[in-house]
Amino acid sequence: MEQRGFEKRMVTGRFTRCALAVLLWSAASAQLRYSISEEVNEGAVVGNMAKDLGLDRSTLKTRKYRVVSGGADPLFSVNENDGVLYVSRKIDREEVCAQSSVCLIDLKTVLENPLEVHNVGVEVLDINDHAPSFPEKEKTLEVSETVPAGARFQLKPATDPDSSSFSVQQYKLSQNDHFRLDVKDKGKDGKIPVLVLQKPLDREAAQSHSLVLTALDGGKPPKSGQMAIVINVLDVNDNIPMFSNDVYSATLMENVVVGTEVIQVNATDLDEGQNAEVIYSFGHSVSSNVINLFDLNESTGQITVKGPIDYELNDKYDIEIQASDKGLAPLTAEKNVLIKIVDVNDNAPEIEVTSFSSSIPEDSRPGTTVALISVNDLDSGLNGKVICSINQEVPFSLSPSLQDKMFSIVTKSPLDREKQSHYDLTITAKDAGQPPLSSEKTIRVVVSDVNDNSPEFILSPYTFYITEGNNPGASVFSVKASDGDNAVISYHIVRDRDEHSKLTSFLNINSETGDIVALKSFDFETVKTFQFQVVASDSGSPSLSSNVTVNVFILDQNDNAPVILYPVSSNGSAEGVEEVPRNVNAGHLVTKVRAYDADIGYNGWLLFSLQEVTDHSLFGLDRYTGQIRTLRSFTETDEAEHKLLILVKDNGNVSLSATATVIVKVVEPKEAFAASDVKSSAKDDEETDVTFYLMITLGSVSVLFLISIIVLIAMQCSKSTEYTSKYLQEANYDGTLCHSIQYRSGDKRYMLVGPRMSVGSTIVPGSHANTLVLPDRRNTSDEVRSYLVVFYTKFDEKI
């Protein structure tokens, strides 16, 4: 019992040591190694790489775990969810590895962020899925009866695409009395069947012999293929050609020109006549590839280059040459010629990007990996040694990796997308051959944006002028901001609760375009200027923003018709009756038409004109003051009642007007005096009220005048030259601040004074259109002079 336990422990120890040796061998060649049989179904599991490598399966998908493959139809794929390696399509080992003894496929698996590369080896195990086959179904040999026992007849071998363990392992010859089978092992070229004559042939006993050659592979059970052999017995020729040298070898530079002589073989035959004439040919074991590369002169035995020689495909060729005589039963001798190929630098390095981050944030630290590249050169020695570099002034550099011929592209200085949004990196790989060969590969690295720039408005502050009476809902003006990060900018209006910002409730801004829409019509007579704030925010995270002040000035329109203040009848119509003594002289003031226009400037200037009058020679109307005076004395023939229709219109581009009717009654002097007493009494009461209102008006205007002067001085002291110059554009100022009109009416002289705006003049904010600012051309500084022109209406002594 103890003996049995001891043996069991011995077996377990040996198994453990073997497993450890296998694991150490696997680690030397790859990080992981799996094996799988060929012809397994698509989707078959190879192994759980995430588990074997100790990777966190929850991060595989975000880190883009994948198998790097250079082909369009990869053999394997990895599941990003669980890290299991699967077969992508059926694998034919003979297609992938031909007849290699070990079919090992090296895979590279890559994870990003951070970048990791793992090498995985998958060994494809062969199955016995092919039977041996001969190139010929029937082989005919002609053997002279004089051939001595021991003569050898080499046959074309059977082929089996399977690997060495399942390839042709043995041959069997059908039972006969004259021949036995000998097998010559050619190493990687396989086993060659050879017929050996055991005893001389007797043509008289039998003219031919039929044999069956069977090839068996190493499967369990083995598969087989057969070839029929017919041996015709000939007479006489009994000497075999003999080669002059025991060993034939030569060296050949790759890429030599076609027709270059390699070597010449020579064989002689002791027979005479045709039995002594030797011809040369390639042996049966020579592959078609060798026949395509070399040519053999059958008469001279000279071997020449027939096709392109490439060291990277094969560094040596072992060619079997047969020398045969021309006897009726030709005898053949074989000799191998070894041709060694010398490498030349004929392959440029190849650059492969195994992992690449197409974009990198602009705030990445120096040393951040952008891409992983591998270089390869099919040449050997110095011809295959590769130096890799980036020959540009860019903030990137190449860093060698731990693995041979692997490099990583890393940042070497800070990036700024606003200065340069992308880089085209040209990677140069040069070998150490003479002359050196090189290749280039260009990759584009895009610098992704980081929100590090606030929006900036094109102007600050904005100043806009809106004509009153604008259409509600129409765009009146717009603001625009730009962002160096090319971010999407949104706009909104700051809506405070103070009295000055109540007007912003009637404004709406398009958050995408910055177009500002007025939801109501503005009235110059109600508000003349206001300001508000607009904020521009980008779409970054966190969002950055900036604001700008918008000053809005309302421009006056001629939208108010003149209003008749006097005369006004009891029913509200503009109509009045005036009595004039018949004995008045020329120039007598009959009455004065008074009118008011809510507009300002030219739109508020009023002109009076007579539209209808019974006698044009009797009454005259002052067009500026509205006074009606007699042009001459009354006569006995003049009518006692006269009707005057007065038109009052403003001075706007499209004039608005109103009419008043004055009935003038001519009375005798006594009647006039009596009526005047009654009238003056009533008029005194009326004028008392009018005077009261006029005093209030004049007091208000005076107070506004003083406030305007104080505000103007404060604004001039607080404003910088830069701000003032913003409102005062270059203009052709003619030095005139006011426009005056002088005229006479009777014995009095009148003058109307009003603003005359030249090009470039503008209204100062907060002046309510009473302050005219003009650029002063009499000095070179940016000093601004402000003038406040307050218009007082000089009333007649009767008011």
Side-chain angles (χ1 to χ4, degrees):
M1 193 71 175
E2 293 178 354
Q3 180 66 25
R4 188 177 302 168
F6 177 77
E7 291 176 356
K8 185 176 182 180
R9 287 193 299 272
M10 289 291 291
V11 172
T12 304
R14 285 196 296 269
F15 176 79
T16 302
R17 287 192 295 273
C18 292
L20 181 61
V22 171
L23 288 175
L24 290 175
W25 177 81
S26 300
S29 59
Q31 292 179 355
L32 288 179
R33 182 163 179 172
Y34 301 101
S35 63
I36 190 170
S37 298
E38 68 172 335
E39 301 295 337
V40 295
N41 292 330
E42 180 181 346
V45 175
V46 180
N48 192 328
M49 293 192 296
K51 179 179 178 182
D52 296 338
L53 291 172
L55 302 175
D56 186 0
R57 288 187 291 180
S58 62
T59 63
L60 296 180
K61 190 169 184 178
T62 58
R63 295 180 65 187
K64 299 180 182 179
Y65 193 32
R66 64 188 184 277
V67 174
V68 178
S69 176
D73 189 11
L75 298 175
F76 302 94
S77 62
V78 65
N79 190 312
E80 289 184 345
N81 296 319
D82 54 13
V84 174
L85 185 67
Y86 294 92
V87 176
S88 298
R89 60 182 177 88
K90 281 192 175 183
I91 303 174
D92 186 355
R93 184 185 183 282
E94 288 69 42
E95 177 185 350
V96 175
C97 299
Q99 292 185 347
S100 300
S101 59
V102 178
C103 182
L104 183 62
I105 300 175
D106 291 326
L107 303 177
K108 291 179 182 177
T109 62
V110 177
L111 294 106
E112 297 182 358
N113 298 323
L115 185 65
E116 291 184 32
V117 178
H118 299 282
N119 291 332
V120 178
V122 179
E123 181 180 0
V124 180
L125 303 178
D126 191 25
I127 62 174
N128 191 23
D129 55 345
H130 295 86
S133 62
F134 289 90
E136 299 174 334
K137 293 295 183 181
E138 183 177 291
K139 175 66 175 178
T140 301
L141 295 177
E142 294 182 345
V143 181
S144 174
E145 64 177 349
T146 59
V147 172
R152 302 168 64 87
F153 304 94
Q154 184 171 307
L155 304 175
K156 289 186 177 181
T159 58
D160 190 335
D162 292 326
S163 63
S164 58
S165 60
F166 294 114
S167 63
V168 177
Q169 298 297 318
Q170 60 177 324
Y171 292 92
K172 290 184 179 180
L173 188 64
S174 60
Q175 186 65 35
N176 68 93
D177 296 330
H178 294 85
F179 294 91
R180 65 177 177 85
L181 183 64
D182 191 9
V183 178
K184 182 168 61 174
D185 193 347
K186 294 285 290 183
K188 67 176 182 178
D189 291 330
K191 294 178 172 60
I192 310 300
V194 179
L195 283 179
V196 180
L197 185 62
Q198 295 188 101
K199 64 179 181 178
L201 299 175
D202 187 1
R203 183 178 176 277
E204 288 69 31
Q207 294 184 359
S208 64
H209 299 270
S210 295
L211 306 175
V212 175
L213 180 62
T214 302
L216 299 173
D217 62 18
K220 292 183 180 181
K223 295 184 178 181
S224 62
Q226 294 182 337
M227 179 179 67
I229 303 175
V230 177
I231 301 173
N232 296 323
V233 181
L234 302 178
D235 203 13
V236 186
N237 189 21
D238 56 354
N239 286 290
I240 301 174
M242 299 295 291
F243 284 92
S244 56
N245 294 343
D246 292 334
V247 177
Y248 287 94
S249 63
T251 57
L252 184 65
M253 301 291 290
E254 68 170 327
N255 291 341
V256 295
V257 297
V258 175
T260 301
E261 180 180 349
V262 182
I263 196 173
Q264 185 174 6
V265 296
N266 183 47
T268 58
D269 194 312
L270 298 177
D271 294 324
E272 293 181 353
Q274 287 188 344
N275 293 331
E277 294 182 12
V278 179
I279 58 175
Y280 303 92
S281 63
F282 289 114
H284 296 305
S285 64
V286 176
S287 65
S288 58
N289 182 41
V290 174
I291 296 175
N292 293 331
L293 296 178
F294 300 98
D295 190 21
L296 175 62
N297 189 310
E298 67 173 7
S299 301
T300 63
Q302 186 179 66
I303 300 175
T304 55
V305 177
K306 181 180 180 181
I309 307 299
D310 191 351
Y311 173 86
E312 287 67 43
L313 295 179
N314 204 342
D315 60 351
K316 65 179 179 179
Y317 296 92
D318 191 358
I319 305 174
E320 184 181 76
I321 305 297
Q322 289 185 345
S324 303
D325 57 30
K326 292 184 178 180
L328 295 177
L331 299 178
T332 303
E334 299 88 16
K335 185 66 68 173
N336 285 1
V337 177
L338 181 62
I339 301 175
K340 295 182 179 180
I341 308 301
V342 179
D343 183 36
V344 297
N345 192 25
D346 60 343
N347 289 281
E350 296 179 355
I351 303 173
E352 178 186 0
V353 179
T354 58
S355 181
F356 175 49
S357 298
S358 58
S359 64
I360 182 171
E362 62 178 321
D363 61 348
S364 297
R365 295 182 178 180
T368 302
T369 301
V370 178
L372 188 65
I373 64 171
S374 61
V375 293
N376 187 36
D377 196 314
L378 297 176
D379 295 321
S380 62
L382 289 176
N383 296 332
K385 185 176 179 58
V386 180
I387 301 173
C388 207
S389 62
I390 298 177
N391 299 322
Q392 297 169 275
E393 290 297 327
V394 291
F396 299 93
S397 63
L398 276 176
S399 176
S401 178
L402 295 177
Q403 295 185 1
D404 188 29
K405 298 184 179 179
M406 294 287 291
F407 297 88
S408 57
I409 300 176
V410 298
T411 58
K412 67 178 181 180
S413 60
L415 305 175
D416 188 352
R417 192 200 67 84
E418 285 68 48
K419 292 182 179 179
Q420 190 161 349
S421 61
H422 68 273
Y423 294 88
D424 292 321
L425 305 181
T426 301
I427 304 164
T428 303
K430 181 187 292 186
D431 61 28
Q434 291 297 328
L437 299 178
S438 63
S439 60
E440 293 182 347
K441 190 176 188 66
T442 300
I443 61 174
R444 170 164 289 193
V445 178
V446 177
V447 181
S448 60
D449 189 29
V450 173
N451 192 25
D452 56 352
N453 290 279
S454 300
E456 293 184 1
F457 284 93
I458 298 176
L459 297 175
S460 181
Y462 278 91
T463 301
F464 297 104
Y465 298 88
I466 305 175
T467 304
E468 66 172 332
N470 57 291
N471 294 327
S475 176
V476 288
F477 47 79
S478 66
V479 296
K480 189 69 176 178
S482 61
D483 194 310
D485 298 320
N486 291 331
V488 177
I489 299 176
S490 60
Y491 305 88
H492 72 271
I493 296 175
V494 178
R495 304 186 190 275
D496 298 329
R497 296 183 178 180
D498 58 357
E499 292 293 329
H500 191 266
S501 300
K502 285 184 178 179
L503 284 172
T504 59
S505 62
F506 299 102
L507 297 176
N508 194 10
I509 188 169
N510 188 314
S511 61
E512 296 179 356
T513 63
D515 293 335
I516 299 178
V517 175
L519 303 180
K520 74 164 192 174
S521 296
F522 292 104
D523 185 8
F524 176 82
E525 287 70 38
T526 303
V527 60
K528 295 177 174 56
T529 180
F530 63 93
Q531 68 176 203
F532 58 93
Q533 297 278 330
V534 175
V535 177
S537 302
D538 60 25
S539 57
S541 179
S543 177
L544 301 178
S545 63
S546 61
N547 59 346
V548 69
T549 300
V550 180
N551 297 306
V552 181
F553 297 95
I554 311 301
L555 301 180
D556 185 37
Q557 283 278 79
N558 191 24
D559 57 347
N560 292 281
V563 177
I564 304 298
L565 299 178
Y566 182 84
V568 178
S569 65
S570 59
N571 61 3
S573 62
E575 184 175 326
V577 178
E578 297 289 340
E579 293 183 351
V580 180
R582 186 179 289 278
N583 61 350
V584 298
N585 296 324
H588 175 75
L589 177 64
V590 177
T591 187
K592 181 177 180 179
V593 178
R594 299 178 185 88
Y596 167 76
D597 195 313
D599 297 319
I600 68 165
Y602 288 102
N603 296 327
W605 288 5
L606 301 180
L607 298 177
F608 303 84
S609 63
L610 279 172
Q611 292 296 104
E612 297 180 11
V613 63
T614 54
D615 190 345
H616 288 283
S617 66
L618 189 55
F619 299 100
L621 175 67
D622 192 299
R623 68 174 300 178
Y624 299 108
T625 65
Q627 293 180 347
I628 301 174
R629 294 182 180 271
T630 57
L631 297 177
R632 61 178 175 79
S633 300
F634 291 99
T635 64
E636 296 293 333
T637 59
D638 290 330
E639 296 182 1
E641 184 175 308
H642 299 271
K643 180 180 180 181
L644 286 74
L645 181 63
I646 293 93
L647 175 67
V648 183
K649 67 176 182 178
D650 57 28
N651 205 26
N653 289 332
V654 179
S655 298
L656 302 177
S657 62
T659 59
T661 303
V662 177
I663 305 297
V664 180
K665 293 182 178 181
V666 181
V667 298
E668 294 303 324
K670 293 181 180 180
E671 298 176 2
F673 289 136
S676 65
D677 291 338
V678 177
K679 188 174 181 182
S680 64
S681 176
K683 202 165 186 180
D684 286 341
D685 295 337
E686 178 185 350
E687 289 183 356
T688 300
D689 295 336
V690 173
T691 303
F692 175 73
Y693 291 122
L694 287 175
M695 290 176 65
I696 293 176
T697 303
L698 290 174
S700 301
V701 170
S702 300
V703 171
L704 289 175
F705 172 76
L706 292 175
I707 293 174
S708 300
I709 290 295
I710 295 172
V711 171
L712 184 61
I713 293 173
M715 292 177 62
Q716 288 300 113
C717 293
S718 61
K719 289 181 183 178
S720 64
T721 304
E722 183 178 353
Y723 179 85
T724 304
S725 63
K726 182 175 182 178
Y727 286 92
L728 298 179
Q729 308 298 329
E730 182 63 25
N732 297 321
Y733 171 60
D734 55 6
T736 302
L737 288 175
C738 298
H739 174 71
S740 64
I741 303 174
Q742 298 184 16
Y743 65 95
R744 283 185 178 276
S745 178
D747 58 350
K748 295 183 180 180
R749 184 179 180 185
Y750 296 87
M751 181 174 68
L752 290 178
V753 181
R756 179 179 182 182
M757 293 186 178
S758 62
V759 177
S761 62
T762 182
I763 300 172
V764 170
S767 67
H768 300 285
N770 294 324
T771 304
L772 180 66
V773 179
L774 297 175
D776 192 353
R777 293 183 175 275
R778 288 168 292 181
N779 54 55
T780 58
S781 67
D782 292 332
E783 181 180 331
V784 178
R785 297 188 179 182
S786 303
Y787 297 87
L788 177 65
V789 181
V790 180
F791 300 97
Y792 293 93
T793 305
K794 184 177 181 182
F795 295 94
D796 191 74
E797 295 175 354
K798 292 172 65 178
I799 299 177

